[in-house]
Amino acid sequence: MRIYSIKRFLGLLALYAVLFVGIFVLQFKTESVVNRSYGEKKDLKVSLAHTQGSGDEMKLKNQFQINYKGIMLLGNDASPVQVFNTANASVVHSLTLSSFNEEPDGVTLTFNDGSLIRFHTADQLIISAEPSAENDCLTLEYKISSDHKMEDFTSMRILFDHGNEFFALTAPALDKTRITLTTGNNTATFASYDPEKTFEFAAVAGIAQSNTVFSANIKQFRDSVVTRFVQASTSLASDPLTEQEVTAYVAEMAVRKTFTEGLNAVPDSFKNGNRRTYLSAPYFGHLADMDRTLVMKNEQLASMVNTAIASRNLDIFTIDGVADFILREKKKPIITTLLSMPTASDTPVPTVIQAAGILSTYTKLRASDKDLSANLEGAVQGCISVIGENCRIENGGVYVSQNGAELKPGQTVLVGLALLSYGSLSQNSDYVETGKLLISRPIETNSLSFQECAELYPLLVPENKFYPHAEILGYYDSESVWTWTCASQLSYQIGDGGVVSISMKFPVDESHFAIFKGIPNFTRIEIYKQRYRSAKDFEDYNVSGYVYDELTKNLYIKSKHKSESELVRLWCRPATNFSEK
């Protein structure tokens, strides 16, 4: 009997062992875990899981873990990634992981509704999200290692003490278990934090400048452009006026409804001299000649883009006009390559000025083309960090430096403008206030030369569309149609039968000039609802006129406004390949 019991026990033990091994083998065959490490130090750990689907196909499970220096971000059926629209925040959608894409510095996760989350490392963990089209918020769960002690908690930042090292988790919105990212402010970071050295954007709240004071400073800046022009144009001891100085002055006079007075105040030596380019052409004409300088500018930009990509030189984002160039050429592969450069693993960390340039470029692209700007989103938080690391609060003001040397006044304004524009876009008041303080100090201390004021004028007074600017009107396949103009408003529409309507807004009885690029051939043109003929000397008459070059598809127009909005109509062939974006 005893022997029988022993045999029975051993038999059951063998059976359970077989069952256990079988289950283990079965699970091993039907499930696998993918573990990856990313970044130069391999400190970003990513874990994903596959399970066997139909047949031999392996299917990605709704399960991921991201680990970086004590923080874990996760998603699964019990703790899903969720999206919602703030217009109806009570309706929350739980997402399912559908695919992932690996990069040298991290991974991008794609979910069933098209939402994306990118995790990458560049001396910090950067988390950026893109909610699906119908939603504007995305939220995911995080956990902190037990050896990280929470020291300070706000709705946008949490500080953790890890022995001799501090870490900061920052995001648009935080609670103690979840991070929330939005369409307008889509980045969170987890990074080392030094309370002795780290500049906090939030710290400017105590010295913030009211909108009234900031507006007064901008008015002081605009007034100085007028007074300095008058001084320079009437003083025999002054250097000759530059084109930027003349253009800023005329633009300011135009917005003050004294356009003709502004033109008449410009010395004939400038109007008839050789210092003019495309910049002032909308005021003074000579369009065919000035267009040659515009062509040279664009060719130079194209060459600089190619060189920048080859050398990984981020200075390209600081060049005047680069954002407009990107928008014009956006349907060409080189632009995608350019915009991916700031986040490439072999691209150096940007300087303060480069970071400001990238941030300003992103903001301008975002206003025109959200999908295009998405190529730069991964670089935004890194640029903010670079600027913050080089800022300090001193004597009630904010100062910014590079390698210990304070930036020049004009450079300080450029950094402030980058923070102000991005802060307005992302609705981050700390960035806005820091930007205002950086902009105001050089103005309040009269530290800007007239030339610096002139160069900064279109950036500090962007609402003044009388300043000559590029206006992108649409695209025929991959080629843009655009104009260089000082019209305060301009539109380009294609109607029945291929008739193109160009509407331009400018003060009544005033004349301005415009260079149009990429205009298709036409058989008839109407201005003031009257047919016009091309005339080479059209600029010499006190009426509207035009010249068109079929080879280059350039249209040169002088518009003498009988009404505030003037209409030019072109009879072109019907176009099926035109798009506004």
Side-chain angles (χ1 to χ4, degrees), residues 266-337:
V266 177
D268 289 338
S269 60
F270 175 82
K271 295 177 185 177
N272 303 322
N274 59 4
R275 298 193 304 277
R276 287 184 49 218
T277 69
Y278 70 91
L279 177 62
S280 59
Y283 299 149
F284 303 112
H286 298 283
L287 296 181
D289 291 336
M290 296 301 102
D291 184 38
R292 294 189 186 98
T293 66
L294 182 56
V295 171
M296 290 174 58
K297 170 71 172 180
N298 290 327
E299 290 176 346
Q300 182 185 38
L301 276 170
S303 176
M304 293 173 73
V305 165
N306 282 306
T307 301
I309 292 172
S311 62
R312 289 293 189 257
N313 189 345
L314 295 175
D315 282 342
I316 187 65
F317 293 100
T318 70
I319 302 301
D320 177 47
V322 70
D324 288 329
F325 177 83
I326 290 170
L327 287 168
R328 289 197 298 271
E329 304 295 322
K330 69 178 185 178
K331 295 182 181 289
K332 298 174 182 177
I334 193 171
I335 297 302
T336 302
T337 304

Side-chain angles (χ1 to χ4, degrees), residues 83 95 109-117 130-133 135 138:
V83 291
L95 305 185
L109 306 183
T110 303
F111 295 84
N112 59 309
D113 72 335
S115 296
L116 303 174
I117 310 178
E130 184 178 326
S132 52
N135 298 291
L138 181 148

Side-chain angles (χ1 to χ4, degrees), residues 213-230:
V213 172
F214 183 68
S215 297
N217 285 330
I218 297 300
K219 183 180 184 303
Q220 175 186 329
F221 168 83
R222 296 172 70 166
D223 289 343
S224 74
V225 168
V226 175
T227 56
R228 287 183 173 191
F229 175 88
V230 173

Side-chain angles (χ1 to χ4, degrees), residues 103 105-109 116-120 126-129 343 378-379:
E103 302 167 18
D105 62 345
V107 63
T108 299
L109 306 183
L116 303 174
I117 310 178
R118 183 170 185 248
F119 303 90
H120 68 108
I126 301 174
I127 310 144
S128 55
T343 56

